[in-house]
Amino acid sequence: MIARLAAALFLSTTAVSAQEKAVDTPLRINDIAVIGTHNSYKLPMPAATMAKLRRADPQMADALDYGHRPLVEQLDAGARQLEIDVNYDPLGGHYAAGAPDPQLRRPGFKVLHIPGIDNSSSCVLLSECLTIIRRWSDAHPNHVPILLMFNAKDERNAARGGIDALPFDEPAYDALDAEVRAVMSPSKLVTPDDVQGGYPTLRAAVLANNWPTLERSRGKMLFALDEPPAKVAVYRGARKSLEGRVFFINTDEASPAAAYLTLNDPVSDADRIRRAVTTGFLVRTRADANTREARANYTGPRDHALQSGAQYVSTDYLWADPRLPGGYHVPLPGGMIARCNPVRRPAGCGDLERAQ
């Protein structure tokens, strides 16, 4: 009897110690979950342009028939992941044909969805977008780290009435890094080098859970390049991982540069998302795409996304579109801004911003 009691006491004490250890383990960047927006800069297309597009291609018109409030309003409402499409324009004026905005004539990266077709942007210059975000961050220093996800646009749009984008070669990517660093000081950034530390590769650091702690990362930004293998290979160059670069890259889990993955289908990618998150990677998925879910008020993908463990769940509907029935939108449970990751920290921890 005494032996059984002693054994039970030992097991109970061990269990309590394990729980206390789990609670005491500091939260890291990959231990949180937030909501973000897709094409965050995008304003609704002008009515005449939309009507013309709808006559020519109703399906494309539906897919493009959304827009976002200004970046500050999104951040105020809790968006902690923003997506920006950048178009290379080192001399200025490449995307100015037929557009009255004088900023399109200035040198520097332009923030446009489909140049010449879907041009409406709340901040046309990348430097302007970044300055807006930095100023908001400076005024809210306790915010959890914000992921700024970029698409480097290089589509050939002339055939459908738009403007062909300039290609992204290594000098273009170097200029992109430089433009980010010109606005964001080192103290505002979490870079691949910050995560890699003394590990031989970025992937090795991630597998060792060497992400910075949440408390050390408040008020900071991470940048991720969401592009296919050929394009991120140009950005990476001959580097072993991403040494010296600003952006993490979308890649597969086996790459030495692996830290971030875009897995946009929370239903078919569910198992892979869970494995990647459990292993230590950052993942972005989407709750909706091309306005389909909002038009049908179909919440299945949204619910899968929120349960998936993906740290960043992106939507076009931070707010419901009053034109659509059903009120589809994508909030975190309980109206939180940032929560503990449902896969990595399933016990939860309340709102990681409002509780501060």
Side-chain angles (χ1 to χ4, degrees):
M1 176 65 73
I2 293 174
R4 285 199 298 271
L5 287 172
L9 179 60
F10 172 77
L11 291 173
S12 174
T13 303
T14 301
V16 170
S17 297
Q19 291 171 3
E20 288 176 346
K21 184 176 181 181
V23 170
D24 291 342
T25 302
L27 290 170
R28 295 183 180 272
I29 288 176
N30 56 330
D31 290 325
I32 69 173
V34 299
I35 298 296
T37 54
H38 162 251
N39 292 342
S40 311
Y41 59 88
K42 182 175 159 22
L43 299 177
M45 295 175 68
T49 307
M50 175 55 72
K52 180 180 178 180
L53 178 61
R54 194 167 291 284
R55 289 192 296 270
D57 189 341
Q59 185 174 1
M60 184 178 180
D62 274 356
L64 295 179
D65 194 11
Y66 68 93
H68 291 289
R69 299 183 192 184
L71 297 179
V72 166
E73 290 189 37
Q74 295 177 51
L75 292 163
D76 283 344
R80 294 297 179 265
Q81 174 260 307
L82 301 173
E83 182 178 358
I84 296 175
D85 291 338
V86 286
N87 298 265
Y88 188 42
D89 191 13
L91 301 179
H94 182 79
Y95 302 100
D101 192 335
Q103 295 195 96
L104 289 171
R105 301 196 175 279
R106 293 176 55 184
F109 291 91
K110 305 303 186 301
V111 178
L112 306 167
H113 188 215
I114 306 175
I117 298 174
D118 190 7
N119 264 15
S120 297
S121 175
S122 63
C123 47
V124 170
L125 299 176
L126 173 59
S127 58
E128 178 190 8
C129 298
L130 294 176
T131 299
I132 290 168
I133 296 165
R134 190 204 68 218
R135 287 175 176 167
W136 183 91
S137 174
D138 289 344
H140 301 80
N142 195 57
H143 69 75
V144 300
I146 297 168
L147 175 69
L148 300 177
M149 197 181 75
F150 278 44
N151 292 138
K153 306 291 276 190
D154 61 358
E155 288 89 351
R156 314 302 289 171
N157 298 307
R160 50 179 175 167
I163 301 169
D164 288 343
L166 297 176
F168 271 80
D169 53 12
E170 190 167 354
Y173 283 128
D174 290 344
L176 182 59
D177 273 7
E179 192 151 321
V180 171
R181 290 189 185 277
V183 178
M184 301 290 182
S185 67
S187 65
K188 298 297 292 183
L189 297 174
V190 177
T191 66
D193 285 341
D194 294 326
V195 178
Q196 184 170 338
Y199 287 87
T201 65
L202 181 57
R203 179 179 183 270
V206 167
L207 295 183
N209 202 31
N210 200 47
W211 290 100
T213 64
L214 172 60
E215 291 310 310
R216 286 180 52 210
S217 306
R218 290 187 182 275
K220 296 188 178 186
M221 261 77 71
L222 302 88
F223 286 74
L225 185 62
D226 178 27
E227 291 294 351
K231 289 176 72 172
V232 297
V234 176
Y235 180 76
R236 182 181 171 194
R239 297 167 180 82
K240 190 171 185 179
S241 293
L242 290 165
E243 293 82 4
R245 283 301 200 188
V246 169
F247 287 76
F248 297 88
I249 59 172
N250 176 35
T251 187
D252 65 85
E253 295 90 329
S255 169
Y260 164 83
L261 293 85
T262 298
L263 299 173
N264 277 334
D265 190 330
V267 179
S268 64
D269 290 335
D271 290 342
R272 187 179 174 193
I273 292 172
R274 179 173 285 268
R275 286 196 304 270
V277 169
T278 301
T279 302
F281 297 104
L282 293 181
V283 176
R284 180 263 198 167
T285 196
R286 291 184 69 174
D288 44 74
N290 299 322
T291 77
R292 292 187 300 264
E293 291 80 4
R295 291 178 186 279
N297 193 27
Y298 176 48
T299 62
R302 179 194 75 181
D303 296 342
H304 276 85
L306 292 173
Q307 297 163 9
S308 69
Q311 288 89 352
Y312 305 100
V313 175
S314 183
T315 180
D316 287 321
Y317 298 93
L318 196 59
W319 292 274
D321 186 335
R323 302 173 303 165
L324 302 177
Y328 176 90
H329 68 296
V330 182
L332 276 184
M336 290 187 285
I337 292 177
R339 61 172 174 159
C340 270
N341 190 284
V343 167
R344 293 185 60 84
R345 296 285 186 127
C349 53
D351 195 315
L352 295 170
E353 281 197 28
R354 291 200 175 104
Q356 298 298 310

